[in-house]
Amino acid sequence: MAGSVPVAGSLADIYPTAALATEAPRWNDLLSSFEKAYGHKPSFVARSPGRVNILGEHIDYSLYSVLPMAITADAIMAVSSAPLAEGASSLKVRIGNVENSKFAASEFDVPVDADVDIDASKFEWTNYFKSGLRGAMKLLREKRGQDFKGVNMEIMVDGTVPVGGGLSSSAAIVTTSALAVMKANGVDAVDKTELTELAIVSERAVGVNSGGMDQAASVFSEPGSALFVSFSPRLEARPVKIPPTRPELCFLIAQSFVTSNKHVTGPIHYNLRVVEVSFAAAYLNAVLNPSGTRLPVDAGPLGISLQGFHDTYFYHANASDYSAAKSLTKEEELEKLIAVTKETLTQEEGYTREEIAKVLSVTVQELENRFTAKIPIRAERFMLRQRALHVFTEALRVLKFLTLLERPVHTGASDTTRFNKELGSIMNETQDSCRILYENSCPENDKICQIALEAGSYGSRQTGAGWGGCSVHLISVDKVEQVKEALEREYYSKMKLTEDQKAQAMVVIHEKAYQALYFGS
Ligand code: NG1
Ligand code: MG
């Protein structure tokens, strides 16, 4: 089937040559850990990569397009399955992790006629598997009928995506789990769109109101390409060549070793931002559109989003000048939205619940019921102006970056430098916007970006959710060592790092990273 998850013939299909020396023993470990735990060999291994986000930060949950790229670090799961006993009322899952001391093995039963139960209030690593299982079972029931019961499964997991590092360890586990469950239930060609959509929905069951960038990047990425992902009007992903068509450029990922756990800090960080942009959309809608105009309910994690505002603005508020509005390019639309936001959301100091409720003509209680009942957040003031401006300018930067990549003016050496600088400066603008408007950076990542830029990086920015984690740097290949040395000297040498951490601190993105199934032994 077109658009289905490929089967890899060998590890060399999955990993860059340079990684094989460490990946081959790692896979052997996975297989032997499996055998040791369950007493037989697995029947297949499912694999999904982590991702680095090149551009488009914190805009996926507002349904604006993003540009991530898969990385070599991944989640792998060795799996075997067995049919349920006649009349069994539940299926049994046994799951272990190669790093048993950090991620303890567990066993659980799932009733064959109910959704997998996930307790989002407890932070357990197996929740990510459960969320993939839950989504996959739901899809299988839709496809095969409500009396579909599933199979017993034994699973061994290993992950190399650092947890809380902004490289999407969670989505790598969720998409691998969903893929594993589909395959264990006999689906030979797992459809990428279906898999991504189910992974997006099921990851929210773990308690983070994320967008769909990570799952799309993990599932749709193709070797040697970044991925342009759109969410509206439907999920679409297409590869965009960066290296190797521009062999002079590469991306370096640098860890700050500041970890940020969304499950702990969500109420003041990630989930709060989701609520702030939803408030912003509702506020702009209430002020600018004819009264009674409702934002689309199916858009965004809260059933409401800035994209919803965007559409509403152009289809309702501009009704008098509809044809003019319709003929605007996406870039021109965003420019307009930026101007409108500046005029409408004027309070630099933020907005209280009372102020927002008043504009929406609801009580504070109604506001909370609608926006924050399911998402715990802690804040007194909501920075609607800053957050909305970040979202619209970031959405615009993604489009500009994409245009540059796909239609580069590239005729000579001086042009190449200019082109690289233009790409880099867009990434730098994103970092400024994250630091100043979205306030999701951290001093360590700001410092790392500054060191890298001074050492010759064209563009440096924190990547992923933020408040710690990784940064990504656009560097010409001949400057990589120089940038690494500067970061080592001015940042890493001042920290106490383990040998493992030292090895992971700085990594150049390799060209092979995509989701796959593997049957070799
Ligand atoms: P990371 O950095 O992997 O935690 C999160 C969200 C994305 C996106 C980015 C910010 C999850 C699973 N993913 O990614 O959807 O919103 O932050 O751009 O929470
Ligand atoms: Mg994550």
Side-chain angles (χ1 to χ4, degrees):
M1 189 197 305
S4 62
V5 176
V7 174
S10 72
L11 291 194
D13 281 354
I14 306 183
Y15 295 105
T17 317
L20 286 174
T22 50
E23 292 299 338
R26 175 181 167 233
W27 279 59
N28 285 336
D29 262 8
L30 178 80
L31 302 180
S32 59
S33 301
F34 183 98
E35 263 194 86
K36 218 170 123 199
Y38 308 121
H40 57 90
K41 286 186 193 306
S43 51
F44 66 91
V45 177
R47 183 254 180 166
S48 308
R51 63 101 184 94
V52 61
N53 189 16
I54 307 295
L55 211 72
E57 216 61 87
H58 281 277
I59 59 173
D60 59 346
Y61 48 86
S62 291
L63 304 186
Y64 283 111
S65 305
V66 294
L67 193 73
M69 186 165 181
I71 55 175
T72 305
D74 61 9
I76 51 180
M77 275 180 205
V79 184
S80 73
S81 60
L84 298 187
E86 194 57 38
S89 60
S90 59
L91 62 90
K92 186 174 262 332
V93 176
R94 302 173 74 193
I95 184 165
N97 195 301
V98 171
E99 281 189 80
N100 190 44
S101 56
K102 263 207 234 158
F103 306 106
S106 101
E107 287 189 25
F108 54 89
D109 293 330
V110 179
V112 291
D113 53 359
D115 267 350
V116 182
D117 189 35
I118 300 171
D119 182 355
S121 68
K122 290 207 193 86
F123 181 59
E124 281 170 10
W125 77 275
T126 50
N127 276 358
Y128 292 103
F129 174 80
K130 285 183 183 168
S131 76
L133 173 66
R134 173 162 143 158
M137 288 298 288
K138 210 169 155 255
L139 182 64
L140 287 163
R141 276 196 195 104
E142 276 163 28
K143 284 180 175 298
R144 297 190 184 165
Q146 288 308 313
D147 51 359
F148 170 77
K149 292 188 168 37
V151 289
N152 294 323
M153 295 178 75
E154 289 170 332
I155 296 149
M156 186 57 67
V157 184
D158 186 38
T160 46
V161 187
V163 174
L167 298 178
S168 187
S169 56
S170 55
I173 299 270
V174 175
T175 52
T176 312
S177 307
L179 174 61
V181 175
M182 299 293 284
K183 179 65 205 157
N185 282 288
V187 181
D188 286 324
V190 180
D191 181 77
K192 290 183 175 188
T193 304
E194 285 180 354
L195 190 67
T196 306
E197 284 173 347
L198 85 81
I200 294 172
V201 175
S202 40
E203 191 161 343
R204 293 201 188 128
V206 184
V208 176
N209 293 277
S210 55
M213 159 167 68
D214 304 354
Q215 299 81 355
S218 196
V219 176
F220 281 100
S221 285
E222 290 179 17
S225 302
L227 197 72
F228 182 67
V229 187
S230 308
F231 304 100
S232 176
R234 75 193 71 79
L235 176 70
E236 270 170 343
R238 77 178 146 88
V240 177
K241 289 274 174 206
I242 302 188
T245 46
R246 305 205 141 261
E248 71 276 13
L249 282 179
C250 70
F251 289 106
L252 174 78
I253 303 175
Q255 304 257 3
S256 66
F257 294 110
V258 176
T259 49
S260 152
N261 182 343
K262 284 199 210 71
H263 298 272
V264 179
T265 57
I268 53 165
H269 289 157
Y270 194 92
N271 282 346
L272 176 57
R273 293 295 178 274
V274 176
V275 167
E276 284 178 309
V277 295
S278 306
F279 277 169
Y283 192 109
L284 290 170
N285 177 51
V287 173
L288 295 166
N289 289 328
S291 84
T293 306
R294 295 194 67 85
L295 297 180
V297 284
D298 60 346
L302 295 169
I304 202 164
S305 77
L306 286 174
Q307 179 73 42
F309 164 72
H310 191 125
D311 292 346
T312 316
Y313 176 66
F314 283 97
Y315 296 107
H316 297 275
N318 267 16
S320 57
D321 196 12
Y322 183 67
S323 54
K326 237 174 73 175
S327 66
L328 294 177
T329 63
K330 281 206 158 63
E331 284 87 342
E332 288 165 338
E333 284 182 8
L334 283 162
E335 303 275 12
K336 273 201 147 201
L337 278 171
I338 292 165
V340 161
T341 302
K342 284 183 179 159
E343 282 163 23
T344 313
L345 294 167
T346 52
Q347 289 181 211
E348 295 271 358
E349 70 282 16
Y351 295 76
T352 61
R353 286 177 175 75
E354 288 71 21
E355 285 169 335
I356 298 167
K358 193 168 166 217
V359 169
L360 267 58
S361 307
V362 296
T363 64
V364 170
Q365 189 58 52
E366 284 165 343
L367 185 80
E368 291 190 334
N369 290 349
R370 183 157 151 219
F371 290 93
T372 61
K374 287 202 222 115
I375 309 180
I377 51 147
R378 281 201 308 277
E380 295 307 317
R381 304 191 80 85
F382 300 88
M383 311 307 273
L384 307 192
R385 174 186 174 87
Q386 292 84 340
R387 311 307 184 228
L389 284 177
H390 167 77
V391 172
F392 295 138
T393 57
E394 183 69 356
L396 187 56
R397 280 187 287 274
V398 172
L399 299 179
K400 285 187 176 155
F401 199 84
L402 184 75
T403 306
L404 266 178
L405 284 175
E406 295 194 324
R407 270 174 279 147
V409 189
H410 189 206
T411 47
S414 67
D415 258 7
T416 303
T417 309
R418 199 190 66 212
F419 169 80
N420 294 352
K421 281 189 176 159
E422 277 178 42
L423 284 177
S425 73
I426 296 178
M427 292 172 65
N428 293 333
E429 283 170 27
T430 292
Q431 178 60 15
D432 289 341
S433 185
C434 283
R435 186 166 49 82
I436 299 164
L437 295 175
Y438 221 67
E439 295 182 277
N440 67 321
S441 189
C442 65
E444 292 82 355
N445 274 330
D446 294 338
K447 174 91 189 158
I448 287 175
C449 290
Q450 184 203 333
I451 298 168
L453 287 172
E454 280 165 12
S457 162
Y458 285 116
S460 290
R461 54 175 293 267
Q462 176 189 255
T463 182
W467 297 284
C470 291
S471 50
V472 59
H473 310 267
L474 181 71
I475 306 176
S476 68
V477 175
D478 57 337
K479 294 243 173 74
V480 170
E481 281 317 308
Q482 196 174 310
V483 173
K484 279 176 134 182
E485 274 162 29
L487 287 170
E488 174 56 38
R489 194 173 55 242
E490 293 169 50
Y491 186 79
Y492 296 112
S493 69
K494 305 196 166 129
M495 305 179 84
K496 282 207 175 64
L497 298 180
T498 63
E499 287 308 311
D500 264 8
Q501 286 178 316
K502 279 184 194 155
Q504 282 186 359
M506 294 176 277
V507 187
V508 172
I509 304 186
H510 284 284
E511 73 283 13
K512 276 182 194 159
Y514 59 100
Q515 191 182 46
L517 284 163
Y518 184 66
F519 298 94
S521 56

